[in-house]
Amino acid sequence: MRVRARELVNLRAVLAPVASGMCVMAAAAAVLVPALGGDAERAGHGPGRVSPPAATHRAYGPGAAAPAAAPCTARTAAESLRPSPDDGAAVTRIKERGQLVVGVDQNTYRWGYRNPSTGTLEGFDIDLARAIAADILGPHPHVVFKAVPTNQRIPALQKRAVDMVVRTMTINCARKQQVAFSTSYFQAGQQVLAPITSTIKAFDDSLRGRRVCTAAGSTGETALRAQRHGAQVLTVPSQLDCLVRLQLGRADAVVTDSALAAAQAAQDPRVELKGEPFTDESYGVAMNKGDTDLVRRVNKVLDDYRGGGDDSAWMRAYRKWLKADLPGISGPPAPEYGD
């Protein structure tokens, strides 16, 4: 049976408890977010692998595009434009407007979610978005966060409804035909989440005949469409909807990024990750393909964010938000450039 949108609006407020016993994202979960969220928050300034040495930022002409490159492959997908602090058309537009508009999630614990006590957006992605805003706009920047469902991330960028999307968005060749990406700021992979008591073992034939939920437009959906393992695929706007269906017994498993699956397991101790990640994926900041100067500026911010070793802004954010659920990461992924 399908869960109606109104049911999810009511159920989200009482399900998906945090391990501490608090109802996670109560404020956020009580709202079914439409395309582009219908919900914006203005915010002030807030705050693996071995990272590379501190970068020396080379000057590039504002808005300079990359030289003609070979076709994208799985190996080169994570390559981006070299960093530059110069202002081009896109950065100037943001400065003249006086605010940065960022597409984010408000339902993913640890990454982008509303603190039920304060109502403010918090998480690893939110900290990164604020760091980018501070670099472009200066101290105490004016940031507008727009909640964007998974399958609306690319349309939002193409229509310039947002300046960028910072929302656990995997870099791949298909998406790079439609939007531009920064260098990778986190490494993850698709993985299965299911109840602890389930006989599902991994992304394999133990899924046969089971109802497997994933977010529409996600790389999890792509993986399931390519190889179902005999499962019935259910798609929803948000990964939190999958957790709700799992809790209601209306889905048997979830396929999502391992980082997001770990966050959902932290929300509900009755579920766990099954098997190992079966893909290798990089998260990047996504932007409009025409905003090459903004891509270079974000890559400059990411270089700074990674710099400083164990005391880098990246490592501090990792320890604050992710280490409890994703231990053992020694540093951010190193940047890869294609120009």
Side-chain angles (χ1 to χ4, degrees):
M1 184 189 335
R2 295 174 63 89
V3 179
R4 295 191 302 273
R6 183 171 298 174
E7 289 180 79
L8 286 177
V9 171
N10 295 329
L11 288 167
R12 280 176 171 173
V14 296
L15 294 174
V18 184
S20 66
M22 249 179 15
C23 184
V24 68
M25 302 176 289
V31 179
L32 185 63
V33 185
L36 300 184
D39 172 45
E41 173 183 306
R42 285 172 166 77
H45 177 66
R49 319 289 173 258
V50 179
S51 58
T56 300
H57 301 300
R58 175 181 170 186
Y60 285 81
C72 178
T73 66
R75 186 182 64 80
T76 63
E79 293 178 351
S80 185
L81 302 178
R82 292 191 179 275
S84 172
D86 294 341
D87 293 358
V91 174
T92 299
R93 183 174 67 243
I94 292 165
K95 287 185 172 182
E96 290 177 348
R97 188 199 308 137
Q99 64 184 26
L100 181 70
V101 184
V102 187
V104 297
D105 196 357
Q106 66 168 4
N107 292 326
T108 300
Y109 188 49
R110 305 289 198 192
W111 290 90
Y113 74 106
R114 286 196 184 277
N115 183 314
S117 299
T118 64
T120 59
L121 282 170
E122 297 181 352
F124 191 90
D125 281 344
I126 305 302
D127 280 4
L128 176 56
R130 287 188 169 124
I132 295 169
D135 185 87
I136 295 174
L137 297 172
H140 312 292
H142 188 183
V143 186
V144 176
F145 292 116
K146 287 191 174 182
V148 181
T150 303
N151 64 355
Q152 291 300 310
R153 293 176 297 189
I154 289 174
L157 290 165
Q158 292 175 327
K159 297 173 184 176
R160 296 193 185 279
V162 296
D163 296 311
M164 61 186 61
V165 168
V166 188
R167 193 188 182 283
T168 58
M169 189 168 178
T170 298
I171 305 167
N172 61 35
C173 291
R175 289 173 177 172
K176 287 186 76 171
Q177 293 178 0
Q178 303 174 81
V179 297
F181 281 98
S182 70
T183 55
S184 171
Y185 67 85
F186 198 85
Q187 208 73 26
Q190 292 298 305
Q191 197 163 0
V192 175
L193 183 79
I196 292 173
T197 56
S198 174
T199 58
I200 292 172
K201 298 177 180 179
F203 189 69
D204 59 22
D205 287 348
S206 64
L207 296 175
R208 185 170 301 280
R210 305 300 186 92
R211 298 159 299 175
V212 180
C213 187
T214 194
S218 68
T219 47
E221 182 187 16
T222 302
L224 280 165
R225 298 299 182 195
Q227 174 56 272
R228 293 171 180 256
H229 288 292
Q232 175 189 350
V233 179
L234 311 175
T235 57
V236 293
S238 163
Q239 287 295 345
L240 185 63
D241 297 337
C242 283
L243 182 58
V244 171
R245 279 169 168 76
L246 200 61
Q247 293 170 324
L248 291 172
R250 294 177 181 177
D252 301 305
V254 175
V255 168
T256 186
D257 296 358
S258 54
L260 305 187
Q264 292 189 1
Q267 291 171 249
D268 187 344
R270 296 168 298 179
V271 301
E272 65 180 4
L273 282 70
K274 302 285 189 176
E276 298 295 328
F278 56 91
T279 62
D280 187 15
E281 301 180 11
S282 299
Y283 295 163
V285 178
M287 290 153 278
N288 186 284
K289 281 185 73 71
D291 293 346
T292 54
D293 66 304
L294 184 58
V295 175
R296 294 189 188 278
R297 184 62 168 266
V298 169
N299 283 340
K300 177 259 184 189
V301 176
L302 285 172
D303 269 357
D304 296 339
Y305 206 67
R306 299 182 189 100
D310 196 52
D311 194 43
S312 67
W314 192 98
M315 286 300 297
R316 292 196 301 271
Y318 164 70
R319 288 192 293 267
K320 179 179 180 181
W321 299 112
L322 307 178
K323 185 176 181 179
D325 305 317
L326 292 167
I329 297 177
S330 60
E336 297 181 45
Y337 303 113
D339 61 331

